[in-house]
Amino acid sequence: MIISVTSLKGGVGKSTITQNLAVCFAHAGFKVCIFDVDTNQSAIHWSGFRPDEVPSIPVVGQPDGIELSKNVKIMSKDYEIILIDGTPSLNKLSSKIILLADLLLIPILPSGLDIWAAKTFLERHHEAEIEKEKKIPAYFLMNQFQPNTNIGKEVMEVLNEQQIPILKTTLKSRTAYREAVIKGLGVIEYKDDKAKAETVTLFNELSKIIKKL
Ligand SMILES: Nc1ncnc2c1ncn2[C@@H]1O[C@H](COP(=O)(O)OP(=O)(O)OP(=O)(O)O)[C@@H](O)[C@H]1O
Ligand SMILES: [Mg+2]
C-alpha cells in the first residue's frame, strides 16, 4: 500500500502528517517506511532523532525523485506501508507522486489560498487518473482546523462540494505536533492526550478506508 501525502502548497502539514501516520502504522504492527521527496528532507532529520525505545521507521531520502517509482517498487517488496512525503510544487515529480499512490492524502489549511491550490490539485489528480486509466482514491485532510471561525466553516463548505471527499477527522493546531517532531516522536508517543486522540481517530478512519480499497 502506497500512501502519498501531497499538496500544491508548502507548509500545510505533509511531513507532520506523514510522520505521525507512519508512527501509528508502526505501533499497529505494520512494516512501514517513508520516502522523503521533500527538498528539506525533514523526515530524515526526524527519523534520526527517534529514541531507541520506539519502533524505528526507515526513511529513504529522495529529494530529486530520480528513479522514485523503481525505488518504491523495490521497497514495497519488504514494506507493507510506504508513505511518500510529497513536494509542494507543480512539476513532473508531483505528478509521479500522485500516479504512484494507491491512496492520496491532501492536507489543507483553513485559508482561501489553500482552496485555490486545492482546485488546481483537482485538475492534476484528474489528469493523473486519465493517464493511469484507473481511479486514484484521494481525500482532503483539514489540518490546523479552527472549527469556530468563519473561514474554517467556509473552507469546509467549499471542500464538501468538490469531487474529492474530505476526511471526517480534522487535526487542530497543537503545540504537541511541533514539539514531538524535535524528539523524533509521533504525537501518539508524546504527552498531549488531545493530539494523541485525534491522530488515533485519523488512523482509524484511514484504516477503514484502506480495508475497503
Ligand atoms: N496540526 C498542527 N498543529 C501545529 N503545528 C503544526 C500542525 N501541522 C503542522 N504544523 C507545523 O506547521 C509547519 C509546517 O508543517 P510541515 O512541515 O509538516 O508542512 P509541509 O507541508 O511538509 O511543508 P513543506 O511544503 O515545506 O514540506 C511545521 O512547523 C509543523 O510543525
Ligand atoms: Mg514537508
Side-chain angles (χ1 to χ4, degrees):
M1 164 69 46
I2 300 163
I3 304 172
S4 293
V5 184
T6 186
S7 70
L8 281 177
K9 254 186 106 264
V12 294
K14 294 179 292 297
S15 302
T16 305
I17 291 162
T18 302
Q19 290 155 19
N20 277 290
L21 285 176
V23 167
C24 290
F25 279 112
H27 281 273
F30 289 90
K31 281 197 83 184
V32 54
C33 75
I34 295 176
F35 270 75
D36 191 353
V37 185
D38 194 335
T39 40
N40 55 33
Q41 299 282 276
S42 48
I44 295 223
H45 294 302
W46 167 81
S47 170
F49 282 112
R50 278 182 74 67
D52 291 340
E53 60 271 22
V54 294
S56 75
I57 297 172
V59 179
V60 182
Q62 191 118 43
D64 49 14
I66 293 171
E67 301 201 317
L68 178 68
S69 321
K70 189 176 132 200
N71 293 338
V72 165
K73 230 172 247 166
I74 293 169
M75 290 298 272
S76 61
K77 287 184 192 140
D78 287 327
Y79 289 88
E80 294 157 285
I81 304 287
I82 293 181
L83 283 146
I84 304 181
D85 180 1
T87 144
S89 53
L90 186 80
N91 56 17
K92 269 196 183 153
L93 183 53
S94 57
S95 296
K96 209 189 265 181
I97 292 167
I98 297 175
L99 279 166
L100 269 174
D102 299 311
L103 178 66
L104 270 175
L105 267 190
I106 311 128
I108 188 158
L109 298 181
S111 131
L113 296 173
D114 281 65
I115 287 293
W116 293 327
K119 289 190 171 170
T120 315
F121 181 88
L122 290 171
E123 290 163 21
R124 184 50 62 96
H125 173 249
H126 183 61
E127 287 162 13
E129 288 191 325
I130 291 171
E131 189 178 336
K132 198 171 180 177
E133 296 180 345
K134 203 176 161 197
K135 287 270 171 216
I136 306 171
Y139 292 83
F140 287 118
L141 167 57
M142 181 65 78
N143 187 25
Q144 304 210 37
F145 186 47
Q146 301 156 295
N148 298 321
T149 61
N150 285 335
I151 185 66
K153 287 176 196 154
E154 279 169 30
V155 169
M156 272 301 196
E157 278 168 23
V158 175
L159 287 179
N160 276 322
E161 290 162 3
Q162 309 302 319
Q163 65 263 38
I164 290 183
I166 179 157
L167 291 176
K168 281 196 196 83
T169 312
T170 57
L171 303 180
K172 307 268 176 348
S173 180
R174 301 186 195 278
T175 314
Y177 290 102
R178 296 168 190 261
E179 286 177 353
V181 71
I182 309 168
K183 300 181 188 302
L185 298 174
V187 290
I188 66 160
E189 299 164 329
Y190 197 57
K191 58 192 177 190
D192 179 331
D193 287 340
K194 288 184 178 166
K196 213 181 268 189
E198 70 187 8
T199 297
V200 169
T201 307
L202 170 65
F203 178 66
N204 290 340
E205 186 178 2
L206 271 183
S207 300
K208 279 190 194 146
I209 290 170
I210 289 171
K211 272 189 197 139
K212 286 188 192 154
L213 288 179

